[in-house]
Amino acid sequence: MTKQSIFGRIAQLAKANINSILDSAEDPAKMLDQMVRDFSSSISDAESAIAETIGNLRLLEDDHREDQEAAVEWGDKALAASRKADELRMVGNAADADKFDNLAKVALGRQLTSEKEAKTAEPQIQSQTAIVNQLKTGLNAMKEKLVQLTNKRAELIARSKTAQAQAQVMDAVKSIDMMDPTSEVNRFEDKIRREEARVRGAQELAASSLDAQFESLDDLGELTEVDARLAALKAGNTAAIEG
C-alpha cells in the first residue's frame, strides 16, 4: 500500500500544472517554496521505493539465473551418470549400471524442477521490469518538474509582485479620484466655490448700493430743474402782467 501511494503521487505530481496550482495561492512565494519541498520529499520517497522494487527484481533475476544454471548443471550430471551406467553395463556390471541410471533419473528430476522454477519466474520478471521502467519514467518526470519549478520560481514571483503592485496603484488611483464627491479635494473645491460666490454677492450688493445713490442724485437734479423752470415761469408771468 505504501509503494502504491508513492507511485500514485509520482503519476499525479508528474502531471501537475504549476500555473494552475499558483492560481489559488495566497502567497505565491510560500506556495512555490512549499511545492519545491513537496516535490523533493516525494522524489526522495519515490527513489527509496523504486530502489527497493529494483532490488526485488534483481533478486528474481538472480534466482532465475541460478535456476537456469542449475538446470544445465543437473543435465550434465544426468548425462555423466547415464554414460557411466552404459559403460558398466557394457562390461557386465548391471547392478552398478542400474545405480548410475537411477542417479541419472534423480539428476533429470532436479533438472526439470529447476527448469520449471525458471519458467515460472519469467512472467514475474517481465512484469516487474515493466513496473520498474514505468516508475523510472515517472521519477524522471518528477525531476523535470522540479527543475522547471525551480527555474521558473523567480519569474513567477516577479510576475506576482508586479500584479500586486498594479493592484495597489489602481487602489491608490481610486482613492484620489477627482470625480469622487466624497474626496477631500472635491470638498475643498466646494468650499472655495462657496467663498467665491460670497465675494461675488458682496460685490453685487455694493454695486447695487452705489447705483441707488447715483439714481438719487439724478432724481434730485430733475427736481431742481423743475423748480428752476417753475421760478422762471412765474417770473415770466409777472413781467407780462406788469407790461
Side-chain angles (χ1 to χ4, degrees), residues 8 54 56 58 126 145 159 173 184 189:
I54 293 174
N56 293 334
R58 298 298 174 250
Q126 293 176 356
K145 280 291 182 182
R159 286 166 54 187
V173 170
E184 291 296 330
E189 183 180 3

Side-chain angles (χ1 to χ4, degrees), residues 21 25 63 87 135 164 168 208:
I21 294 175
D63 292 342
E87 292 175 359
L135 295 177
Q164 292 177 359
Q168 291 176 352
S208 176

Side-chain angles (χ1 to χ4, degrees), residues 1-8:
M1 293 297 293
T2 302
K3 290 183 185 178
Q4 291 298 326
S5 63
I6 293 173
F7 302 156

Side-chain angles (χ1 to χ4, degrees), residues 10-210:
I10 293 175
Q12 181 179 3
L13 292 175
K15 297 178 181 178
N17 186 308
I18 295 174
N19 291 326
S20 296
I21 294 175
L22 290 175
D23 286 343
S24 59
E26 295 182 359
D27 190 333
K30 292 182 179 178
M31 186 66 179
L32 285 165
D33 291 339
Q34 185 61 46
M35 287 176 64
V36 171
R37 289 192 292 270
D38 290 343
F39 265 78
S40 300
S41 177
S42 297
I43 289 174
S44 178
D45 292 343
E47 287 176 336
S48 298
I50 294 173
E52 183 178 353
T53 303
I54 293 174
N56 293 334
L57 174 59
R58 298 298 174 250
L59 288 176
L60 285 174
E61 291 173 341
D62 290 342
D63 292 342
H64 180 260
R65 183 171 54 255
E66 290 177 1
D67 288 334
Q68 288 179 322
E69 292 174 353
V72 173
E73 183 179 353
W74 284 114
D76 293 340
K77 289 180 179 180
L79 179 59
S82 176
R83 287 177 177 176
K84 184 65 176 179
D86 291 342
E87 292 175 359
L88 291 171
R89 191 168 281 108
M90 287 178 66
V91 297
N93 190 349
D96 288 339
D98 290 340
K99 289 180 180 179
F100 278 99
D101 279 337
N102 288 333
L103 286 175
K105 290 179 181 179
V106 172
L108 290 172
R110 298 288 180 84
Q111 183 185 39
L112 288 172
T113 300
S114 296
E115 289 175 350
K116 288 180 180 179
E117 290 180 354
K119 188 174 183 179
T120 300
E122 288 175 358
Q124 298 179 11
I125 292 174
Q126 293 176 356
S127 176
Q128 287 294 96
T129 300
I131 291 175
V132 167
N133 290 335
Q134 291 176 356
L135 295 177
K136 287 180 178 179
T137 300
L139 182 61
N140 289 335
M142 287 181 66
K143 290 181 178 180
E144 290 176 2
K145 280 291 182 182
L146 181 58
V147 172
Q148 178 186 357
L149 175 60
T150 302
N151 292 339
K152 291 192 67 175
R153 180 183 182 279
E155 174 192 347
L156 294 173
I157 291 178
R159 286 166 54 187
S160 174
K161 290 183 177 180
T162 299
Q164 292 177 359
Q166 290 175 338
Q168 291 176 352
V169 170
M170 292 301 298
D171 291 341
V173 170
K174 291 180 180 178
S175 67
I176 59 173
D177 189 352
M178 297 301 292
M179 299 303 293
D180 184 2
T182 62
S183 68
E184 291 296 330
V185 174
N186 268 9
R187 283 198 292 270
F188 186 65
E189 183 180 3
D190 289 342
K191 182 178 180 181
I192 294 174
R193 290 179 61 194
R194 287 194 296 271
E195 182 65 20
E196 291 173 343
R198 187 188 66 77
V199 171
R200 288 200 304 270
Q203 291 173 344
E204 290 180 8
L205 180 60
S208 176
S209 298
L210 185 61

